[in-house]
Amino acid sequence: MRASLLLIAAALVLPASSARPETPADFAAAFAEEARANEPHFSGLDAARGRTFFVDLHGGEWSCASCHTQDPRAEGRHAVTGKRIAPLAPSANPERFTRADKVEKWFRRNCNDVLRRACTAQEKGDVLAFLSSLGS
Amino acid sequence: MKRVAVSTCIGLVASAVGFAAGPVGARQGARISAPPLYTSECGSCHVAYPARMLGGASWNAVLSGLGAHFGVDATVDGAELEAIRAFLESAARSRETSRDGKPLLRITETRWFRSEHGDRLWKRHPLSPADCGACHRKAEQGSYAERDIELPAPGEAKRGETR
């Protein structure tokens, strides 16, 4: 009886989906799943498309590379303040793409900075495919 | 259920801030060490500026405009934002930093900052005044002491731009 109460309590506290992303591959899978749901003709994530997206100014002042550099394995510098930014590519910085709150926060802020809108799941997934394609 | 999670979150954040803010009744403007939440949320794009560098009204104005924070989206989730606000209000400079009755948003526009640094400094060292760590080598550890100042070589590559 007590055990089943505990189980119910656990079910109430834990998030509905047990597969909480915590590796770059988990995030890629989640982005791909969301992109497929949004777009029936989804044909997978694409590192080359992600690279193009990463260096493009999208009609504005900044690209992702403005702060993270053309080679995201390198240390970046904030385009306004000059502050050092740790490498973005998981091969160079194992902390990247391991926490959902951080991934959500930085895509929210930076997509708004570069594109003045939210990124689609396809765009986020392509960028992650590009970052993950960079070896150490 | 969501409400429970959110209030738990607020509780955790508030207790973390309360712990770091030190004893109740600490003097306003005293050097209260910044809670990890402040450092992580407000110390990614620039040094987590010491709370004592602006008055409470200035900090509140900054926090009210994080959607367009000097041209950048610096939004923070609601519960965390309120915890940061509580910390900044408790540790702010006791004297307001304002001009013509309006709270200043930039530390670099405050009278004390300008008298400390002077205008010629930026001509000799074309760095972003937002980049404290370029000269205050221990800024990230919270030290702005004279002994920790080391000017870069004149003409060293510009690291950032002022916007």
Side-chain angles (χ1 to χ4, degrees):
Chain A
M1 177 66 188
R2 188 174 293 174
S4 60
L5 275 178
L6 276 176
L7 276 177
I8 292 168
L12 284 171
V13 171
L14 293 172
S17 163
S18 58
R20 194 174 170 76
E22 51 191 27
T23 67
D26 293 344
F27 283 100
F31 289 139
E33 191 181 328
E34 192 185 336
R36 190 174 293 113
N38 293 344
E39 173 56 68
H41 304 296
F42 173 75
S43 60
L45 303 177
D46 187 321
R49 202 163 49 209
R51 189 191 174 284
T52 305
F53 183 90
F54 195 84
V55 299
D56 197 285
L57 288 169
H58 303 276
E61 210 178 326
W62 292 328
S63 68
C64 309
S66 301
C67 295
H68 294 294
T69 83
Q70 302 263 342
D71 180 357
R73 288 169 295 189
E75 191 173 73
R77 276 202 187 281
H78 196 279
V80 179
T81 68
K83 189 176 190 295
R84 290 196 305 271
I85 298 173
L88 190 55
S91 63
N93 182 357
E95 284 184 26
R96 295 296 191 186
F97 295 94
T98 58
R99 283 184 50 182
D101 54 349
K102 288 197 169 187
V103 170
E104 191 275 328
K105 175 174 86 177
W106 287 109
F107 270 127
R108 181 188 74 222
R109 290 180 175 182
N110 292 167
C111 290
N112 207 10
D113 292 335
V114 174
L115 298 110
R116 297 157 305 282
R117 63 166 172 82
C119 291
T120 65
Q122 171 92 61
E123 289 165 340
K124 290 187 272 193
D126 286 346
V127 165
L128 177 52
F130 161 57
L131 297 173
S132 300
S133 74
L134 301 168
S136 49
Chain B
M1 190 186 89
K2 196 167 187 181
R3 195 176 299 160
V4 172
V6 168
S7 63
T8 307
C9 183
I10 292 172
L12 285 173
V13 168
S15 59
V17 170
F19 178 74
V24 177
R27 188 166 60 86
Q28 262 220 339
R31 296 189 183 208
I32 297 169
S33 63
L37 176 70
Y38 176 67
T39 315
S40 67
E41 291 303 310
C42 307
S44 299
C45 301
H46 52 66
V47 169
Y49 300 124
R52 65 181 185 279
M53 289 186 175
L54 286 177
S58 287
W59 283 125
N60 262 307
V62 168
L63 293 181
S64 300
L66 289 180
H69 181 65
F70 305 109
V72 172
D73 181 340
T75 47
V76 175
D77 286 341
E80 296 187 338
L81 179 64
E82 291 318 308
I84 290 169
R85 192 188 302 277
F87 159 68
L88 287 174
E89 281 177 349
S90 72
R93 191 181 190 81
S94 49
R95 194 170 162 184
E96 287 300 339
T97 42
S98 59
R99 187 188 296 152
D100 304 330
K102 284 186 185 166
L104 290 171
L105 301 180
R106 290 178 188 272
I107 292 167
T108 50
E109 289 178 355
T110 61
R111 204 177 302 161
W112 75 263
F113 182 96
R114 295 178 64 180
S115 71
E116 263 318 296
H117 296 85
D119 291 333
R120 279 191 312 177
L121 183 64
W122 314 115
K123 294 196 177 97
R124 287 177 56 197
H125 301 281
L127 305 159
S128 165
D131 189 6
C132 305
C135 303
H136 297 277
R137 303 297 168 118
K138 290 191 180 168
E140 294 218 23
Q141 290 84 51
S143 171
Y144 292 79
E146 294 278 342
R147 64 176 176 276
D148 296 325
I149 297 175
E150 191 186 323
L151 291 171
E156 188 179 298
K158 193 172 181 176
R159 304 212 306 184
E161 290 172 33
T162 316
R163 281 168 62 93

